[in-house]
Amino acid sequence: MNLIIVLPIIVPLLFAVSMLFFWKNVRVHKILNVIASIFSLVVAGLLLSDVNSSGILSLQVGSWRAPFGISLVADLLASIMVLITAVIGLATSIYSLGSMDEQREKFLYYPLLQFLLMGINGAFLTGDIFNLYVWFEVMLISSFVLLALGGKREQLEGAIKYVTLNLVSSAIFLAAVGILYGIVGTLNMADIARKIPLVEHKELVTVVSFLFMVAFGIKAAVFPLFFWLPASYHTPPIAVSAIFAGLLTKVGVYALIRVFTLIFVQDTNFTHTVLLVIAGFTMLTGVLGAASQNDMRKILSFHIISQIGYMIMGLALFSPLAIAGAIFYIIHHIIVKTNLFLVSGVVDKMKGSFELKKIGGLYKYYPLLGLLFLIPALSLAGIPPLSGFWAKFVVIKAGLELNQMFIVVVALIVGLLTLFSMTKIWNEAFWKNDPRGNENILDDSFSSVSISKKVLIFSPIIVLALITIIIGLNAEPFINIANNAAAQLLNPNEYITKVLGL
Amino acid sequence: MTFLLAILVGVLYTAGIYMILRRSLVKVIIGLIFLGHAANLLIFTIGRVTKGFPAFVPADGTKLVEPFADPLPQALILTAIVIGFGVQAFAIVLFKRAYQTVGTDDLDEMKSTDELKEDK
């Protein structure tokens, strides 16, 4: 029995439920939350090493045979994603301890965080397309509440757009699952992959693939379906923004990679070309949107979109190297983006604003923070030797090998523009003098924060920055594992046989 | 029967999308509910519609007798309805709260998060 596959789902669930028994006691919530995150990290590490050494693991829940029961499957991609989720979960848990306000903590912030992580892990590990829908909903409802918790005006406005568009996408996803079931008569993804080549009307499958593309595209925030993201992601407290920015859109990307490598590969000329065009526009519109903004969190929100474009580009190019690039890009981006949001939270705590026009002079009095911002910012822009360079390098090299010059040029230009908007944040927030006078160095609210809270706020930022540097300086093992994951994805026979037990 | 259901699904999708594109919050909610039901009915129709043929194996046989309705889509809808109810209930509460906080139910006036901040 491969019970370890269940643990990334069970651990957050158990801890979240046990937190509910101590409804009023926020201290217990805090302790249990950190323990849960550490546990999840250990479990995810074990899962990845298991999958790495012994190949794809699968578990038939309740011992119902494969196509009939619900399967949980952990291949390399899924277990990499689970591990990253655990890393980000721990980082935001610790950051929340130092930064979350009491009001939100009282209204069950920590159990919601664990439920969110459970939903994300479930979406990564399920091998059943309808269950993917259910896990999406688990994840979404937790994220809805986390987003709206606090009930400030802008939060509610952002939440309305977020909730509406995600419900629309869920309805489309549900309809697509139903039609797909009508065509192939099975819900198990491995079984679908086996039966799709036998379908008589190939066009019908392509049509359904587009329904999936739209449904996951909304969740992954690709062009032209991304407008909910910059409207909502910057409104909740920064710890929530950070975990959303890091993980939620990547679940959409993961789902796209999963269905467009496993299930819908019968008409790649058409579907993947459409994906390639989408990728180009996503990169461009995202980065141009970012260039027009003046609010730190909004710039970062728009950058999520442009970076999603690179991952979709990797998927769309559909060569082993390109898919490996997409996976490596996801690893790099989750860590870097979360880190950037966490740093912007510190800036807000010090200066009391995210508005670039209102803040300044941080580097002069706080050079360490400047450094901690520079590392993920330059990594995002793709400056060697940081992780972003290798991520962009692999994706672009794959594009060059396939002679897709147009998308390569777009990717390079977007990289340049990314650097431009990162420099903009650097210049405005860190380099120029504070427009409100030099005395206004540290906002009172930050200097009054106790040392232990400062440690809690800074330690996840430092650790994530270190991870970025480590990936950058020692990229080979990470690229190797991404290559192996891509090889598994492009050769789905192992997946199919392991799940169905053939 | 299938024909009627097909038309009904079409009408629900049309009405749902039309309602979502309205500016009033209440209409958006109604539109979302329509879309959810449209998807459910679509799946229901995909599972074949038969009358008086429950999907049970007869006592003296080992196989289902045609024509029978596929029970799995119905199980799927059951799950989807439950999830849909939960999410819709949450959305209604959220929209009401937003209406109270912002003081309007006109979506065109709920754009403070989209605007470029002006210099003050």
Side-chain angles (χ1 to χ4, degrees), chain A residues 256-263 265 315 318 323 489-490 492:
Chain A
L256 275 175
I257 293 183
R258 179 64 74 209
V259 298
F260 280 96
T261 54
L262 183 65
I263 299 176
V265 287
L315 169 64
F318 207 56
I323 304 266
L489 287 174
L490 286 175

Side-chain angles (χ1 to χ4, degrees), chain A residues 6 34 62 67 117 145 152 168 232 236 262 266 280 346 377 395 484 494:
Chain A
V6 197
V34 172
L117 293 173
V145 183
K152 281 191 299 199
V168 171
S232 61
L262 183 65
Q266 79 292 345
V346 177
V395 176
N484 294 343
E494 190 192 350

Side-chain angles (χ1 to χ4, degrees), chain A residues 88-161:
Chain A
I88 298 301
L90 184 59
T92 39
S93 294
I94 292 173
Y95 190 87
S96 306
L97 292 181
S99 73
M100 195 50 63
D101 52 306
E102 264 179 48
Q103 207 54 34
R104 287 195 175 82
E105 286 176 337
K106 266 191 202 149
F107 283 99
L108 303 178
Y109 168 76
Y110 293 111
L112 282 166
L113 195 62
Q114 290 302 325
F115 278 126
L116 179 74
L117 293 173
M118 174 182 82
I120 294 172
N121 283 339
F124 289 147
L125 289 175
T126 184
D128 180 291
I129 196 112
F130 186 76
N131 249 48
L132 186 63
Y133 165 76
V134 176
W135 285 120
F136 266 179
E137 294 298 316
V138 171
M139 176 185 96
L140 283 178
I141 193 79
S142 330
S143 68
F144 292 164
V145 183
L146 279 176
L147 186 64
L149 203 64
K152 281 191 299 199
R153 174 179 174 157
E154 49 171 18
Q155 272 187 298
L156 291 170
E157 288 186 9
I160 283 179
K161 289 153 197 164

Side-chain angles (χ1 to χ4, degrees), chain A residues 72-86:
Chain A
L72 294 176
V73 192
D75 65 348
L76 264 179
L77 174 61
S79 32
I80 291 172
M81 299 300 283
V82 169
L83 181 61
I84 297 255
T85 307

